[in-house]
Amino acid sequence: MSIDYQEKIPNNVNLAEDRKLQRALEKWQPGYQQWWSELGPEGSHQMDVYLRTAISVEPGGWANYGHVKMPDYRWGIFLAPQEAERKVNFGAHKGDAAWQEVPGEYRAELRRLIVTQGDTEPASVEQQRHLGLTCPSLYDLRNLFQVNVEEGRHLWAMVYLLHAHFGRDGREEAEAMLERHSGDADKPRILEAFNEPTPDWLSFFMFTYFTDRDGKYQLASLAESGFDPLSRTCRFMLTEEAHHMFVGETGVGRVIQRACDIMNEHKTDDVRKYGGIDLATIQRYLNFHFSVSVDLFGQEISTNAANYFTMGLKGRFQETRIDDDHLLKDAIYQVAEVKGDGIVYADQSALTAVNERLRDDYIRDCQRGVDKWNKVIQEAGIDFEMTLPHRIFHRGIGSFSTIKATPDGKIITEADWDHKHNDWLPTDEDRQYVTSLMEAVTEPGKVANWIAPPAKGINGQPQDFDYVRFN
Ligand SMILES: [Fe+2]
Ligand SMILES: [Fe+2]
């Protein structure tokens, strides 16, 4: 399963043996490179960046580190190894051999799933493209670019599936991936959270913690797919995604650490006076990014999701480890709904509730990072606790989008919301303040004043390592 970097498009799918496919992808490649140079990380074209590149898809052996000139990064097509005798593990086709070709009757649904996932990948690169200009350190700049090149590769992963398995309309969808742009008035990205700008580094860390984690859960449920090429693609993407969430978790943790250090050093709550970001502001950013990411899981009750499940296209998180019949015909699942001025949990068909179940898995996972952040605060001896807002808070999609609620899940009136929401979500003033701190620090080993240095370097490198060389 080693990757051939002699090829124009590095790959481990024997691309050279399929001339037609190879030519089609080589035709798409210049458009991708043009997109990268126009809408990829601003000002990065001359930089040499210490990046990891996949050299093999075997567990533990895939990462190779070295300085790479950014536009020369080798984006390619890498699938996790095929599992012998893999089966469709859920839904109406449970027990059949996994499909190596697209089942004709599910073509439209499968294409939709791949396009929706694929569209988020270049979207996040577009959202983050200005951040390099205000990096808090070379370490962080390198991490931003690592995330960006891998999101670019995730686009390649989805475009490969479209080209290899969906003929002409797959090729058209691949073109459209480069035509929609984040925040574009005429041709926006498909999902709303991917049209919001990522204007500052606190937003970036929150995004990689909460929104990339949505990506993890979407990829994990697509990795269960009965369509084997999609499963293998997503399994390899997940290994890359882990680093993105690490960047978010440690990034937010370092901003919190710095706030606590300032509070202790100056015996004050007025962190802003000393150029840090106060814990209350961090909590408001957390509330915002969590709530928009929770929306990405869609409607609580969804017949589309039920159909994808029954068709064997998209499973639940860790489907094969769940102890049930994997058909869910008569199974029930408890789903929150509005009742009066509160919420109740009611029995619903587990089949139509698979989105909600995935959201539950996601929320549990989000809590783990919050617990770690609270440990930082606790160890500093400060009396403050970060909390995840309730799932009904600040929702734009699903049954809670019609109500207003407090972060702890109490339904309130519009008037109360208007009065109070500035306590719960970042205000214009918060954003202006955070933006005012964003200034590039590019001296090796130096870190901006509003964030603590990283606990350790990438790939064991020392603190003052030149992760990025400017030419
Ligand atoms: Fe991704
Ligand atoms: Fe990611």
Side-chain angles (χ1 to χ4, degrees), residues 151 212 241 244:
E151 300 304 6
D212 281 85
E241 211 58 67
H244 308 178

Side-chain angles (χ1 to χ4, degrees), residues 219-360:
L219 292 175
S221 51
L222 293 172
E224 301 292 339
S225 183
F227 179 48
D228 205 41
L230 176 60
S231 167
R232 292 171 57 199
T233 302
C234 290
R235 269 188 280 141
F236 186 67
M237 289 164 76
L238 279 166
T239 65
E240 295 168 310
E241 211 58 67
H243 176 67
H244 308 178
M245 291 176 289
F246 162 85
V247 169
E249 182 178 316
T250 53
V252 174
R254 287 161 56 210
V255 183
I256 290 173
Q257 178 75 61
R258 183 65 188 137
C260 294
D261 290 349
I262 289 173
M263 289 167 85
N264 283 334
E265 192 184 329
H266 298 283
K267 308 263 175 288
T268 179
D269 284 343
D270 192 359
V271 171
R272 290 192 185 189
K273 187 175 165 198
Y274 298 93
I277 304 176
D278 50 293
L279 298 176
T281 300
I282 299 170
Q283 176 71 62
R284 285 192 288 275
Y285 271 69
L286 185 165
N287 290 348
F288 175 78
H289 286 272
F290 175 77
S291 57
V292 297
S293 301
V294 155
D295 266 343
L296 288 168
F297 291 83
Q299 303 281 343
E300 288 80 12
I301 304 297
S302 164
T303 42
N304 270 345
N307 289 338
Y308 293 151
F309 184 87
T310 301
M311 292 168 179
L313 305 180
K314 183 179 179 186
R316 292 169 292 174
F317 183 62
Q318 298 185 331
E319 180 68 44
T320 53
R321 295 196 208 165
I322 299 172
D323 184 20
D324 64 15
D325 68 0
H326 305 280
L327 303 174
L328 304 183
K329 279 209 182 95
D330 306 309
I332 54 163
Y333 193 79
Q334 294 227 304
V335 178
E337 60 184 43
V338 180
K339 194 170 187 191
D341 57 359
I343 60 159
V344 293
Y345 284 82
D347 287 351
Q348 298 285 353
S349 146
L351 204 48
T352 57
V354 289
N355 279 349
E356 190 60 10
R357 182 186 174 115
L358 195 61
R359 183 163 19 233
D360 284 335

